[in-house]
Every structure is written in structure tokens, then in C-alpha cells.
């Protein structure tokens, strides 16, 4: 949760945006602001820190440019919505912000926003433009993700024992900053970040966390910022001896699974500036691996399509994968074999094969990728 | 020309002898020939007969007025009558009926003794023998119309004439003796005062012909003819009363009588061998040299000598400038004829041509059509078969002209509209051969262009090569088609500039609409984020939007250059219809009427608010 001073900072930055528009208008100029480019071309890999950082490239968003006018107007609407939030000391979901800013433009049949897919990227634009995290803007995504394991936390004043969370686990909130979530006690040896909720359910039911003394957490696909931020805090704040608490990522054996790992490890290209407080360069990829098919004799595999192959080649070329022999081998193996595997592939052996044999064996044999 | 005898129809065959045939061979009067072949003169059906009659009378009146330097005012009237000559106020227009066609002008009148000849004889007049630019050419027209009236109704032609305000008026009733091609005078009165309805006529000529005809409106109608005449003759005023009583007033827009064209001698290149032989026989010049110099244009003593020298080489005989014209035989004449074609002779003089002129064409189009873009172009004179001619093009585009139809083509020869036989005409061929797609219009494969377009083409010439005596189409000489094509291209380029620019403006307008929609939202957002005078910010942003989309307000001129125009102060040069709209661009060949320009289709409500930007201004 942003602190009081931070909130005011954000409000000031938003006000500054409006003032810029006003002064441009007064000078008879085309109002504009520069939006840092959120693409691979403007993402740099900081080899020392091993995270993605954002370059200096920016795009001018002009009001009186036919292709940008609507986005300019939308940016101003979102900014004013965030200013209201900041002034009222409230937070809300990005979906709620979409509804707050959506209306029919006076005298027309046109809407300011036609869907949340229009407002979400504008929120990201605003984050990078005024250099304020979404959380500082008072916005959060829908809660997504659960966690259980040998740990006790304080969540908004409530003390919660994460070994007693039943089948659903503790729902990870969107904002997990220290003023909302505090870590009270943790005895876990590592964190296992699982891509899918359903697979996490199997791990919970089989009490994997108890048998292997670890935290199990999932993000329902691409982990939301709350999950990533929580794992980051746990990794950095909860020491295992003199080391940081290890993080293992268990994802599908497909380009999307690799990409999820990449985001957890180095940060996202989209919001590179957030890597500082999200990326976990030491995170390890524990599966599924393209080599697991032979290792474990999985035979219910899916053929790669052309898009998969293209995507794999792109991932292989990412600077943070480019220099890594293991990863190049891994990706090459996947392209050569022409197949992908979901985590559920392991169920061809037995429902609990993944918790009882697959993962314990990989942990024991240290079959992970870094 | 032999006529079939009744005896031929008998079944029993009797062989003729030269003697028996000679008994029937006799001279045919020109009037009798045309009475039988009236389609050659444009009287082939009742509808066309009515139009042709009007056309001949109007052409004569305009020619007469102009020759006398008088601004023409014409009263054209068609009155439906029954067989007793009684006026039928609401005629049944679908059938043919009897009409009295009358045309009255304010021209110089006709001296008394010439009236019967002008209206009662075919091929009588001043026009045929002279190479001079005029509407009528052969002197057949009006007398043929009178003859047609006589044939279909038995009624003679009535003529009034008054040569000056002080002179007495004359009234004639004339029939034509077709056998003899001679006027048959049935009445001849001298009047102290000539009144037409309420009006006392001070000067002029009036002709009234009673005939069988059919009155119809639409394409190739009297209406269309008079409308186009008014366009090509903006110096004429025409008051037109249709049989149903409807009156249309074509106003005068130009207060100058067109210059009187000079008469010229034929150019040697255009003369055919037979004509040359006749000329040698008829000339008053005794010697060849003076003959060539006096009877032709552009033959100097030097050129005459060159022709003689070349002719000598061809015949190996001895011809000299002193040779007697009366002695020329066929071979010698042919040698001279051939020598003429081999000699480089300067083009005929072109000061004999009086083009309508760009400004006048624009004024004519502007007063009778409601378009948004006009351009006109007068080409330099050119020559076909030794005859000088000049092509003029006018284009009207957009506005109220129908969008989805074929372009309308107005063809003119010496200011006379040509309404029939478009496909036979050199003008139509040139229009079809032009690629209008280059100029932003649609055009089916080698067809007429489509869109809100009027194409005006005028040929001015001392001798217009009509395809027939009814003067309906211009013969397709290469030189003529080429000149028309070049003129069309010039106008097409200007049209293209306008169309492209208009498209750009429409795009700018759409851009502005987009900004316009969003300004309110941006202002509100700024108001939420910081204290600001929202009204002031709105006006400031609207002003920026205005300047960013400035092109949308730009008024067009010829080559995409901007013209700043104060809309409250109309251009003093504006030749608009009844003072409305219309602005002459700098090159004086383009007029844009903003008031007629259609706004681009708007599909959102924001653009229904034209006030917004006016407030911001």
C-alpha cells in the first residue's frame, strides 16, 4: 500500500499532466506527453542485475493526431479517475476504473471506452508515463492466486496460519505491500510457484507442502502482480540460512510456460520499470522440460503449431536466454521434438504422479534450469 | 433526279426510249426536292419538326441582332391551336397537334422587298456565299420551316418587320411555290403601329409558322435547346412561353454584343479541284497570279509565284502568272491544284473567329446550372481542310447535378446547341476517348464519364463540317477531335485538382470532427485534476483544433493554393446567378460556388454541430 506521502506524489504527478495540457492549449500548441515505449525494442537486459530495465525510447501522444486523439482523451480520463481515487484515499480494481471512466461522449453515440481491453493498456501507459506503480495509482487487478505452506502472516491486521487454509488456500490479494501484509513466521525451505490453479489444487490435496516443507503458490496462468510481488518479498525477506529463500517455477512445457518463467525471473517487457521490485533473477525453472518426455515416458503430448515455433525462436533470442546453453538446449529440444506438454501430461501415469514421483525426483536430481 | 412514273406500276412491260424518257425529264426545284426529302433538313418527325422550326428562327434572330450590334431579346412562344386556328390553352401533349410557333426579336428588321425572298425561297440569303462565322450557314432553314408548315397545315407564314422605331411596320403572309421555289404573297400590309399583345414593338422581326408537331419536354426538347442557347449566348435574353402557358425567362448575364466576325477568303488547302475549276471560270481576275492572290487568303505574290513554278514542273507546260484564267483546261487546273498542296502556305487568318470566351462560358454555365465547380478553356485557333476553327471547353461539376448519371454533354457549333446524333459527332467521340478516371471521375470502358458533370464543347468556325444539312453533328475530322481532346484534358486537370483537394478537405473535416468529440472529455478531465477555467480551456483547445485542421476551412482556387475570402463580402467579380454565390479564382478560368458544395456525409452526431467551431473563432 502506498504511503501517505507517496499518494500525494502521485496526485501531484497527475495534476502536473493536466497542467501540461492546459499550458499547451494556452500557447496554441498541440497538447502532448511522452509515453515510454513498452516493447522489446525498448527493453534492456541489465546483465549485472539480471533484470529487464526500460530504455529511453518514448512515443509522443498528441491530442491533435487523428490516430492518437482517442487514446489521448482516454489517458486523460484514466488520469482524472486516479486523481479522484488518490484524493479520496481509496483503491479500486482496474475493472472498476474501466466502469468509472466509461460513458457515452456527449452529443454522440460513441463511448469513451468500449471494453476493459481498451482501458487496461491505458493504465499501463499512465504507469510508465508518470513513473508511478499501479499500486500507487490506487489500482489493482482482480485477486487471482492462492498460497498454502508452513508460514504465518498478518493480513490487514488478521493473523493467518497458512497451514490451515483448507482446500482453497489463502487468496493472495493484489496489493501485498508491507503495510498490508506482514510475515510473522516461516519455516519453509523453498517456494514452489505453480502455473495453474488446478495443478496447485492437486499439490494441496496431496499435502506436498507438508511433505516437502515448502510454500506452494499459484497465479492462475500468468501470475498477477500481487503474486509476483509477494514471492519477491518472501524470496528477499525470508532467509534460508544465509541465502535467500529459493523459488522454483513449475509451468507447462510450451512457449507460454517459458514466458511465465521469464517474467518471474527477469520482469516483463511491458512494465520493465517494475522489475526492480518484482523480478527474481535467482528463480529456477523446474518443469515441465522438453526432456521430461523421455525421462518419464510421457506419451500424451500435443503437436507444436507454427505460432508456437515462431514464439519459441523469439524467446530463445531474448538476451537473458541467449547466452544460456541449458536454455538453448531446452528450446531446441522442444522445437526438434515438435511437441509440447501440459503439466497434466503427468496424470497419464497416475493422478498423483506429479506430486509423488515427478517433482520429488526432479528436486532430488536437481533437474532444474537456471 | 428521276421520279418513278405511275406507268411503271403496270404489269405489262413497255420499254422506254430515250425520247419517251426525255419527255419526263425536267429540272427539279430545290424547294420541291426538300419538300420531298424534309428529313434532310430536320423535319423527319413532328417532334423534331417543332424543335427545328424554333431553332432556325432563333438562330436567324440572334445572327441578325449581332450583325446589327444589338443585344438580342427574343420572345419564343409555342401556342397550341385547333384546326380553325383557335387557341387551345391546355393541349394534350402526348399527341401531335397543330401549333403556332412564333419568334420575335428586337433586331434590325428586314427591308420590305427582301421579306418574301428571305422567308419564301429556299437557298436565298447572304450566308452561303461567304466564309464567315455565323449560326445559319446555307439559308435553307427558316424558309424550309415555313414550307413544312404550309405542307402540314396549309397555313402561310406570317412575318412582321420594323427596321427602326420611326419606320413603319410591315406584315406579310407568305406561302412557298415549291415548283418554282418562289414566294407566294397572300397578304402585304403596312402598319403604322405594330403591337404584340400589350407591347408596342419599336423594332425587330417576328415570324409565326403554323405547323403539325408534337411538344415534349426532356432531352432534345425545345426547353433543352433554349436552355443551352442561353448558356452559350449569355448576352441574349430569351422569354420562352410553352404551350401549357409556362414561362421561362433566361436572363442576360453579359452586356456586350459579341464582336462581329470578319469574312475571309477560302484558304488554298481547303479547295477541291472542281471548286478551283469553277472559281477560275467565275473570277473577275484575268490573270492567274492576281486570281490566286485575290480569291484566296494567305497567298502573297511570292507564294503565288511558288505555286506557278511548281505547277509548271508538273505539267511541263508553260503556265505563268500572266496566264489567262479563262484558258485553263483540266490538266492545267489539276497541276495548279496539286502545286497548292505542295506549297507551304501560312495558316488562314484566325481573327475571323469570335470565340465565346472563358468568362462568357463560365457566366452562361453559372446562370443556368447549379454546380459547385466551373472551369472553361478556349484553345488557340486551328485549321482543318483550310478552314480555321476554334474549340472551347466548359466544365461544371458537383452541386445539384445528378450524381449517379452519365455526364451531360452540351455540344455547340457557332453558339448553336446540337441536340441530335451525339454518337456521330466528333465532340462525343473526343469525350469518350478521354480518360476521365485520371480526373477523379468514373467512366465505363470507353464510354461517357459518369458523375455530377456537364461538359460544354463549342466549335467556332467559318465553316462547320456538319454531317448533314440538318446540322446535328460535327464531322469527325482528326484535327477537330484532337483540339477537343486537348481542351478536355486542360479542363480535366483543373477539375482533378479541385476534386482531389475537396477530398482532402473532407478528410480534414472528418479529422476535426474527431477532435471536436474529444475536447469536452479532455477539458472535464483537466478540470477534475486541477483547478482550471473549463470554458477558457475549451475555447483554447477548439482554437488549436481549428488551426490544426485549417485546410477544412480553406477556400479553393485553381492549383490547390489557398484563397482567403471574407464570406461576408462577396467578390465584386462574382458572376453568380442573380447575385448568388460564385467566386472567380485568380486564373479567371475557374469558379467555385461554395454555397452549392455538398458537405461530406457525416455519420456521427458531432458533425451536426457546425456552431461549435464558430463559437471558438
Amino acid at each position: 500500500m502506498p504511503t501517505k506521502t507517496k499518494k500525494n506524489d502521485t496526485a501531484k504527478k497527475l495534476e502536473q499532466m493536466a497542467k501540461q495540457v492546459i499550458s499547451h492549449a494556452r500557447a496554441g500548441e498541440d497538447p502532448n506527453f511522452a509515453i515510454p515505449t513498452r516493447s522489446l525494442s525498448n527493453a534492456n537486459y541489465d546483465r549485472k542485475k539480471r533484470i529487464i530495465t526500460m530504455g529511453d525510447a518514448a512515443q509522443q501522444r498528441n491530442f491533435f493526431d487523428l490516430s492518437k486523439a482517442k487514446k489521448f482523451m482516454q489517458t486523460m480520463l484514466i488520469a482524472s479517475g486516479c486523481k479522484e481515487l488518490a484524493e479520496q484515499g481509496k483503491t479500486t480494481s482496474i475493472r472498476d476504473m474501466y466502469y468509472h471512466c466509461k460513458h457515452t461522449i456527449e452529443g454522440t453515440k460513441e463511448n469513451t471506452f468500449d471494453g476493459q481491453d481498451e482501458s487496461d493498456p491505458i493504465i499501463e501507459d499512465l504507469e510508465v508515463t508518470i513513473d508511478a506503480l499501479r499500486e500507487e495509482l490506487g489500482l489493482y487487478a482482480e485477486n487471482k492466486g492462492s498460497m498454502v505452506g508452513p508460514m504465518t502472516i498478518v493480513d490487514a491486521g488478521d493473523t493467518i496460519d497458512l497451514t490451515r487454509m483448507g482446500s482453497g488456500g489463502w487468496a493472495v490479494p493484489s496489493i501485498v505491500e508491507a503495510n498490508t501484509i506482514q510475515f510473522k513466521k516461516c519455516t519453509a525451505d523453498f517456494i514452489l510457484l505453480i502455473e495453474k490453479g488446478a495443478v496447485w489444487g492437486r499439490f494441496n490435496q496431496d499435502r506436498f507442502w507438508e511433505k516437502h516443507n515448502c510454500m506452494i503458490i499459484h497465479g492462475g496462468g500468468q501470475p498477477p502482480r500481487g503474486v509476483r510481488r509477494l514471492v519477491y518479498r518472501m524470496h528477499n525477506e525470508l532467509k534460508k540460512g544465509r541465502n535467500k529463500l529459493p523459488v522454483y517455477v513449475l509451468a507447462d512445457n510450451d512457449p507460454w510456460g517459458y514466458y511465465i518463467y521469464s517474467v518471474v525471473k527477469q520482469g516483463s517487457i511491458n512494465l520493465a520499470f517494475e522489475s526492480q521490485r518484482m523480478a527474481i533473477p535467482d528463480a529456477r525453472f523446474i518443469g515441465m522440460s522438453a526432456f521430461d518426455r523421455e525421462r518419464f515416458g510421457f506419451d500424451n503430448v500435443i503437436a507444436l503449431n507454427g505460432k508456437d515455433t515462431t514464439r519459441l525462436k523469439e524467446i530463445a533470442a531474448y538476451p537473458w536466454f541467449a547466452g544460456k546453453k541449458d536454455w538453448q538446449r531446452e528450446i531446441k529440444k522442444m522445437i526438434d521434438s515438435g511437441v509440447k506438454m501440459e503439466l497434466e501430461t503427468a496424470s497419464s501415469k497416475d493422478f498423483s504422479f506429479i506430486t509423488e514421483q515427478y517433482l520429488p525426483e526432479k528436486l532430488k536430481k536437481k533437474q532444474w534450469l537456471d | 433526279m428521276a421520279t418513278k412514273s405511275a406507268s411503271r406500276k403496270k404489269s405489262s412491260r413497255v420499254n422506254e426510249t430515250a425520247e419517251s424518257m426525255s419527255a419526263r425529264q425536267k429540272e427539279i426545284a430545290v424547294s420541291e426536292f426538300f419538300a420531298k426529302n424534309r428529313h434532310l433538313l430536320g423535319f423527319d418527325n413532328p417532334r423534331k419538326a417543332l424543335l427545328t422550326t424554333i431553332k432556325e428562327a432563333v438562330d436567324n434572330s440572334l445572327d441578325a441582332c449581332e450583325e446589327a450590334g444589338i443585344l438580342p431579346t427574343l420572345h419564343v412562344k409555342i401556342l397550341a391551336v385547333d384546326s380553325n386556328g383557335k387557341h387551345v390553352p391546355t393541349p394534350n401533349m402526348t399527341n401531335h397537334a397543330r401549333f403556332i410557333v412564333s419568334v420575335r426579336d428586337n433586331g434590325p428588321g428586314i427591308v420590305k422587298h427582301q421579306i418574301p425572298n428571305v422567308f419564301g425561297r429556299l437557298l436565298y440569303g447572304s450566308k452561303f456565299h461567304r466564309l464567315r462565322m455565323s449560326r445559319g450557314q446555307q439559308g435553307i432553314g427558316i424558309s424550309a420551316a415555313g414550307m413544312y408548315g404550309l405542307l402540314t397545315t396549309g397555313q402561310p407564314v406570317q412575318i412582321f418587320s420594323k427596321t427602326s422605331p420611326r419606320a413603319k411596320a410591315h406584315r406579310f403572309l407568305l406561302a412557298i411555290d415549291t415548283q418554282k421555289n418562289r414566294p407566294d404573297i397572300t397578304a402585304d400590309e403596312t402598319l403604322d403601329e405594330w403591337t404584340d399583345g400589350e407591347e408596342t414593338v419599336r423594332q425587330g422581326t417576328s415570324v409565326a409558322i403554323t405547323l403539325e408537331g408534337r411538344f415534349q419536354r426532356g432531352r432534345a426538347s425545345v426547353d433543352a435547346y433554349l436552355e443551352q442557347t442561353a448558356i452559350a449566348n449569355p448576352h441574349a435574353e430569351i422569354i420562352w412561353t410553352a404551350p401549357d402557358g409556362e414561362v421561362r425567362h433566361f436572363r442576360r448575364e453579359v452586356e456586350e454584343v459579341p464582336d462581329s466576325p470578319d469574312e475571309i477568303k477560302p484558304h488554298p488547302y481547303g479547295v477541291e479541284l472542281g471548286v478551283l475549276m469553277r472559281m477560275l471560270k467565275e473570277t473577275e481576275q484575268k490573270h492567274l497570279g492576281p486570281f490566286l492572290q485575290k480569291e484566296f487568303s494567305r497567298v502573297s505574290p511570292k507564294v503565288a509565284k511558288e505555286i506557278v513554278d511548281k505547277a509548271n514542273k508538273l505539267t511541263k507546260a508553260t503556265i505563268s502568272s500572266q496566264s489567262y484564267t479563262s484558258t485553263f483546261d483540266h490538266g492545267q487546273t489539276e497541276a495548279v491544284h496539286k502545286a497548292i498542296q505542295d506549297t507551304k502556305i501560312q495558316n488562314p487568318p484566325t481573327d475571323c473567329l469570335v470565340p465565346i470566351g472563358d468568362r462568357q462560358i463560365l457566366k452562361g454555365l453559372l446562370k443556368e446550372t447549379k454546380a459547385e465547380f466551373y472551369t472553361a478553356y478556349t484553345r488557340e485557333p486551328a485549321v482543318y481542310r483550310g478552314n480555321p476553327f476554334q474549340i472551347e471547353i466548359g466544365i461544371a461539376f458537383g452541386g445539384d447535378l445528378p450524381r449517379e448519371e452519365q455526364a451531360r454533354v452540351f455540344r455547340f457549333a457557332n453558339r448553336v446547341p446540337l441536340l441530335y446524333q451525339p454518337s456521330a459527332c466528333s465532340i462525343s467521340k473526343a469525350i469518350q476517348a478521354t480518360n476521365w478516371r485520371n480526373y477523379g471521375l468514373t467512366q465505363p470502358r470507353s464510354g461517357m464519364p459518369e458523375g455530377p458533370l456537364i461538359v460544354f464543347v463549342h466549335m467556332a468556325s467559318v465553316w462547320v463540317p456538319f454531317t448533314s444539312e440538318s446540322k446535328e453533328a460535327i464531322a469527325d475530322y482528326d484535327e477537330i477531335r484532337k483540339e477537343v481532346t486537348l481542351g478536355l484534358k486542360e479542363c480535366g486537370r483543373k477539375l482533378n485538382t479541385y476534386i482531389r483537394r475537396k477530398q482532402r478537405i473532407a478528410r480534414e473535416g472528418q479529422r476535426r470532427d474527431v477532435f471536436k468529440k474529444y475536447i469536452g472529455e479532455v477539458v472535464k478531465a483537466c478540470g477534475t485534476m486541477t483547478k482550471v477555467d473549463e470554458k477558457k480551456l475549451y475555447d483554447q483547445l477548439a482554437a488549436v483544433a481549428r488551426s490544426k485542421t485549417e485546410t477544412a476551412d480553406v477556400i479553393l482556387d485553381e492549383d490547390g493554393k489557398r484563397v482567403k475570402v471574407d464570406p461576408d463580402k462577396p467578390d465584386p467579380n462574382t458572376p453568380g446567378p442573380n447575385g448568388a454565390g460564385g467566386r472567380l479564382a485568380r486564373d479567371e478560368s475557374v469558379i467555385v460556388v461554395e454555397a452549392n458544395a455538398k458537405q461530406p456525409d457525416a455519420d456521427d452526431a458531432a458533425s451536426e454541430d457546425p456552431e461549435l467551431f464558430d463559437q471558438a473563432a
Side-chain angles (χ1 to χ4, degrees):
Chain A
M1 194 72 182
T3 62
K4 192 131 208 243
T5 45
K6 264 202 156 174
K7 197 191 289 170
N8 284 343
D9 277 356
T10 307
K12 270 207 187 91
K13 284 175 178 172
L14 291 167
E15 197 176 325
Q16 200 47 48
M17 257 184 101
K19 282 186 172 159
Q20 193 177 327
V21 171
I22 292 162
S23 78
H24 281 152
R26 191 180 301 142
E29 286 164 9
D30 184 356
N32 66 79
F33 32 79
I35 296 181
T37 306
R38 295 184 286 111
S39 70
L40 181 59
S41 64
N42 194 36
N44 303 319
Y45 180 55
D46 185 330
R47 289 187 186 278
K48 216 167 135 198
K49 289 184 185 161
R50 292 183 297 151
I51 58 171
I52 299 172
T53 57
M54 197 159 53
D56 296 330
Q59 266 189 322
Q60 197 90 343
R61 180 162 294 172
N62 289 56
F63 185 19
F64 296 111
D65 175 330
L66 205 56
S67 60
K68 295 170 186 167
K70 184 162 193 181
K71 280 196 168 169
F72 183 97
M73 177 272 290
Q74 290 174 329
T75 312
M76 295 305 292
L77 284 180
I78 297 281
S80 93
C82 291
K83 177 89 190 320
E84 285 178 69
L85 272 186
E87 273 166 1
Q88 297 170 19
K90 287 178 185 168
T91 61
T92 195
S93 69
I94 54 174
R95 180 153 190 80
D96 196 42
M97 182 54 78
Y98 156 62
Y99 276 110
H100 180 79
C101 296
K102 175 192 166 85
H103 59 259
T104 305
I105 299 170
E106 205 183 313
T108 74
K109 289 167 198 148
E110 189 178 327
N111 291 323
T112 51
F113 291 95
D114 281 323
Q116 203 185 332
D117 57 338
E118 281 184 30
S119 65
D120 286 355
I122 297 282
I123 289 170
E124 290 182 354
D125 287 344
L126 197 58
E127 287 178 59
V128 296
T129 302
I130 65 168
D131 192 18
L133 291 173
R134 180 175 303 175
E135 292 72 15
E136 289 167 343
L137 291 168
L139 293 172
Y140 53 82
E142 302 294 313
N143 288 354
K144 207 165 75 170
S146 298
M147 183 165 79
V148 291
M151 182 177 182
T152 304
I153 57 161
V154 178
D155 177 359
D158 300 328
T159 304
I160 300 168
D161 178 357
L162 295 186
T163 59
R164 309 168 74 90
M165 298 307 300
S167 59
W170 173 66
V172 182
S174 270
I175 298 177
V176 294
E177 297 308 312
N179 53 1
T180 307
I181 308 287
Q182 293 104 38
F183 306 141
K184 208 170 165 190
K185 187 180 155 221
C186 180
T187 59
D189 294 325
F190 63 94
I191 304 165
L192 181 65
L193 175 56
I194 301 167
E195 178 181 343
K196 291 167 162 173
V199 178
W200 177 90
R202 162 66 44 220
F203 277 75
N204 189 20
Q205 198 173 49
D206 293 350
R207 295 186 85 77
F208 183 90
W209 51 272
E210 199 172 52
K211 287 171 196 158
H212 295 271
N213 195 36
C214 66
M215 304 303 298
I216 59 169
I217 184 167
H218 80 86
Q222 170 80 280
R225 293 148 62 110
V227 169
R228 284 173 56 202
R229 176 68 178 156
L230 185 68
V231 173
Y232 174 92
R233 282 191 61 206
M234 287 164 71
H235 171 72
N236 286 294
E237 293 173 29
L238 306 171
K239 302 276 173 183
K240 184 69 195 164
R242 290 171 59 199
N243 299 322
K244 293 175 175 180
L245 192 62
V247 176
Y248 298 97
V249 177
L250 180 62
D252 285 344
N253 176 234
D254 61 15
W256 183 239
Y258 291 170
Y259 184 71
I260 285 173
Y261 169 71
S262 169
V263 168
V264 169
K265 192 177 172 77
Q266 269 86 30
S268 81
I269 295 163
N270 236 4
L271 295 168
F273 71 100
E274 294 185 332
S275 303
Q276 299 261 31
R277 51 194 293 285
M278 298 262 198
I280 305 161
D282 291 327
R284 292 153 173 166
F285 181 82
I286 194 141
M288 312 268 301
S289 160
F291 294 95
D292 291 346
R293 187 185 174 196
E294 287 150 23
R295 280 181 198 143
F296 297 96
F298 300 141
D299 52 8
N300 48 351
V301 294
I302 308 163
L304 285 180
N305 59 35
K307 226 166 116 189
D308 289 331
T309 314
T310 312
R311 193 78 189 91
L312 281 170
K313 285 176 182 163
E314 277 170 23
I315 290 170
Y318 283 168
W320 46 96
F321 285 139
K324 288 192 176 160
K325 274 185 197 156
D326 289 353
W327 270 103
Q328 294 300 325
R329 240 182 89 227
E330 171 72 23
I331 295 170
K332 188 173 184 297
K333 173 74 180 172
M334 188 165 170
I335 293 172
D336 290 348
S337 63
V339 295
K340 55 186 178 184
M341 292 178 288
E342 293 191 82
L343 289 167
E344 287 86 342
T345 294
S347 304
S348 61
K349 301 278 171 194
D350 180 84
F351 285 125
S352 290
F353 182 80
I354 193 165
T355 58
E356 287 169 2
Q357 287 191 36
Y358 176 84
L359 205 62
E361 190 181 319
K362 293 197 85 169
L363 282 167
K364 203 171 144 202
K365 291 187 180 167
K366 300 191 173 178
Q367 281 173 348
W368 57 69
L369 290 166
D370 197 4
Chain B
M1 188 148 304
T3 53
K4 277 182 182 174
S5 77
S7 62
R8 275 272 172 98
K9 287 190 178 145
K10 286 177 185 167
S11 56
S12 64
R13 187 175 174 85
V14 178
N15 288 338
E16 297 270 8
T17 63
E19 286 72 22
S20 68
M21 287 196 283
S22 81
R24 287 191 305 278
Q25 284 166 344
K26 61 182 177 189
E27 188 190 358
I28 302 142
V30 64
S31 46
E32 192 177 8
F33 170 72
F34 281 120
K36 286 211 165 84
N37 295 289
R38 57 199 190 194
H39 58 276
L40 294 178
L41 299 179
F43 294 92
D44 32 352
N45 64 58
R47 184 179 178 208
K48 210 163 147 186
L50 193 63
L51 173 65
T52 303
T53 303
I54 294 268
K55 191 166 161 333
E56 297 296 350
V58 167
D59 290 356
N60 282 356
S61 284
L62 291 174
D63 272 342
C65 288
E66 284 164 23
E67 274 192 64
I70 296 166
L71 279 170
T73 298
L74 270 53
H75 291 80
V76 179
K77 195 169 187 173
I78 299 181
L79 213 61
V81 292
D82 63 16
S83 51
N84 300 320
K86 211 168 155 275
H87 175 41
V88 183
T90 49
N92 177 0
M93 301 263 210
T94 53
N95 297 321
H96 15 136
R98 192 170 280 207
F99 294 99
I100 298 174
V101 172
S102 71
V103 174
R104 172 162 68 83
D105 63 48
N106 60 339
I110 300 169
V111 294
K112 183 177 183 247
H113 73 269
Q114 285 288 23
I115 293 172
N117 288 329
V118 169
F119 294 95
R121 286 174 82 169
L122 264 62
L123 290 174
Y124 186 92
S126 55
K127 291 170 180 173
F128 188 80
H129 303 286
R130 297 196 292 169
L131 272 182
R132 186 170 188 273
M133 192 187 142
S134 64
R135 290 176 178 76
Q137 282 191 336
Q138 288 102 332
I140 301 179
I142 192 64
S143 39
M147 191 172 72
Y148 173 81
L150 190 69
L151 284 169
T152 53
T153 68
Q155 295 296 315
V157 182
Q158 177 180 246
I159 297 113
F160 282 93
S161 172
K162 195 164 183 290
T163 53
S164 83
R166 285 171 305 280
K168 290 195 187 300
H170 296 282
R171 175 178 175 268
F172 277 91
L173 284 177
L174 295 174
I176 299 173
D177 180 340
T178 48
Q179 298 276 305
K180 300 196 181 98
N181 188 22
R182 270 217 319 249
D184 185 357
I185 303 168
T186 56
D188 171 0
E189 297 167 26
T190 302
L191 311 165
D192 287 333
E193 193 173 67
W194 166 22
T195 54
D196 184 11
E198 308 264 294
E199 192 184 344
T200 302
V201 182
R202 290 166 57 80
Q203 181 181 320
T205 309
S206 155
V207 57
I209 296 168
T210 309
L211 49 74
E212 284 281 351
R214 193 160 99 183
F215 181 79
Q216 260 182 325
R217 298 196 184 266
R219 205 188 67 86
S221 67
V222 175
D223 290 287
Y225 168 75
L226 290 175
E227 185 186 310
Q228 291 180 33
T229 300
I231 291 171
N233 300 274
H235 64 288
E237 178 187 24
I238 303 171
I239 298 116
W240 151 231
T241 310
D244 54 11
E246 192 193 309
V247 178
R248 265 183 91 179
H249 193 160
F250 299 98
R251 283 169 210 285
R252 176 176 297 128
E253 197 61 52
V254 175
E255 296 291 333
E256 299 146 43
V257 185
D259 286 344
S260 190
D262 294 337
E263 185 182 339
I264 60 161
K265 295 289 179 192
H267 191 270
Y269 282 168
V271 173
E272 275 148 8
L273 182 60
V275 177
L276 185 61
M277 286 169 80
R278 198 197 69 214
M279 287 173 78
L280 279 163
K281 203 170 280 169
E282 289 173 357
T283 183
E284 288 167 8
Q285 303 297 327
K286 287 196 171 116
H287 306 291
L288 179 62
F291 164 78
L292 290 171
Q293 290 171 49
K294 293 266 165 60
E295 301 288 349
F296 294 99
S297 64
R298 298 300 195 205
V299 181
S300 61
K302 190 173 160 259
V303 171
K305 187 174 179 299
E306 209 183 324
I307 292 170
V308 171
D309 290 349
K310 282 211 166 104
N312 269 333
K313 269 184 205 149
L314 287 167
T315 55
K316 294 185 181 110
T318 46
I319 302 171
S320 82
S321 293
Q322 297 306 312
S323 302
Y324 285 100
T325 50
S326 54
T327 64
F328 270 74
D329 62 16
H330 183 274
Q332 287 169 320
T333 313
E334 199 172 0
V336 171
H337 187 253
K338 197 146 192 314
I340 286 171
Q341 311 306 323
D342 287 350
T343 309
K344 202 169 180 325
I345 305 170
Q346 201 188 344
N347 274 336
T350 53
D351 49 8
C352 55
L353 298 173
V354 180
I356 302 172
D358 299 346
R359 285 291 293 268
Q360 258 69 334
I361 292 173
L362 290 172
K363 284 180 179 183
L365 283 169
L366 202 56
K367 80 188 179 89
E368 302 301 337
T369 65
K370 241 190 134 188
E372 60 187 84
F373 171 88
Y374 299 87
T375 185
Y377 181 55
T378 300
R379 298 235 0 121
E380 289 300 311
V383 177
Y384 83 92
R385 262 187 54 196
N387 293 310
F389 72 100
Q390 197 162 5
I391 294 295
E392 297 182 281
I393 309 288
I395 275 181
F397 173 83
D400 284 354
L401 303 178
R403 296 198 157 230
E404 312 283 317
E405 291 174 17
Q406 230 178 46
R408 288 177 71 192
V409 175
F410 294 168
R411 298 176 288 134
F412 300 87
N414 289 348
R415 294 179 179 246
V416 178
L418 309 178
L419 297 181
Y420 284 97
Q421 293 194 34
S423 55
C425 188
S426 188
I427 289 173
S428 310
K429 285 176 184 169
I431 294 173
Q432 285 175 350
T434 302
N435 186 355
W436 294 88
R437 270 166 285 197
N438 286 347
Y439 310 130
L441 293 162
T442 52
Q443 182 183 26
R445 190 167 287 277
S446 38
M448 282 288 167
E450 289 171 356
L453 182 72
I454 290 174
V455 183
F456 170 112
V457 182
H458 177 232
M459 175 175 176
S461 181
V462 293
W463 189 258
V464 179
F466 290 114
T467 55
S468 74
E469 293 311 312
S470 52
K471 300 186 280 184
E472 289 164 345
I474 298 172
D476 190 23
Y477 281 99
D478 286 348
E479 296 91 335
I480 296 172
R481 192 168 6 89
K482 184 183 153 214
E483 281 298 306
V484 175
T485 305
L486 290 172
L488 289 171
K489 282 183 174 169
E490 176 69 21
C491 288
R493 275 191 290 273
K494 288 182 176 169
L495 175 64
N496 186 44
T497 307
Y498 177 77
I499 289 178
R500 301 274 177 242
R501 198 151 161 65
K502 201 171 133 77
Q503 286 167 347
R504 222 165 81 209
I505 286 177
R507 277 200 301 275
E508 282 294 287
Q510 284 161 2
R511 275 184 61 186
R512 171 177 294 181
D513 286 347
V514 170
F515 302 144
K516 220 154 77 169
K517 274 189 299 200
Y518 300 148
I519 289 175
E521 296 293 334
V522 170
V523 167
K524 261 186 268 171
C526 287
T528 307
M529 282 188 274
T530 181
K531 284 195 187 74
V532 65
D533 180 344
E534 290 193 20
K535 171 81 176 73
K536 204 170 139 197
L537 178 60
Y538 186 97
D539 291 349
Q540 285 165 343
L541 283 172
V544 182
R546 265 180 83 84
S547 73
K548 288 281 167 190
T549 57
E550 199 174 6
T551 318
D553 293 328
V554 159
I555 287 171
L556 298 174
D557 75 352
E558 60 280 23
D559 294 315
K561 289 174 213 136
R562 284 180 186 184
V563 179
K564 289 271 177 197
V565 167
D566 184 347
D568 298 328
K569 262 189 258 160
D571 190 324
N573 297 326
T574 296
N578 312 321
R583 188 181 50 75
L584 212 51
R586 264 176 313 191
D587 80 347
E588 302 212 336
S589 72
V590 170
I591 287 177
V592 175
V593 185
E594 285 91 6
N596 290 348
K598 292 269 192 306
Q599 292 306 312
D601 295 335
D603 52 5
D604 60 65
S607 54
E608 287 162 20
D609 175 24
E611 292 302 307
L612 196 144
F613 278 83
D614 298 338
Q615 289 163 7

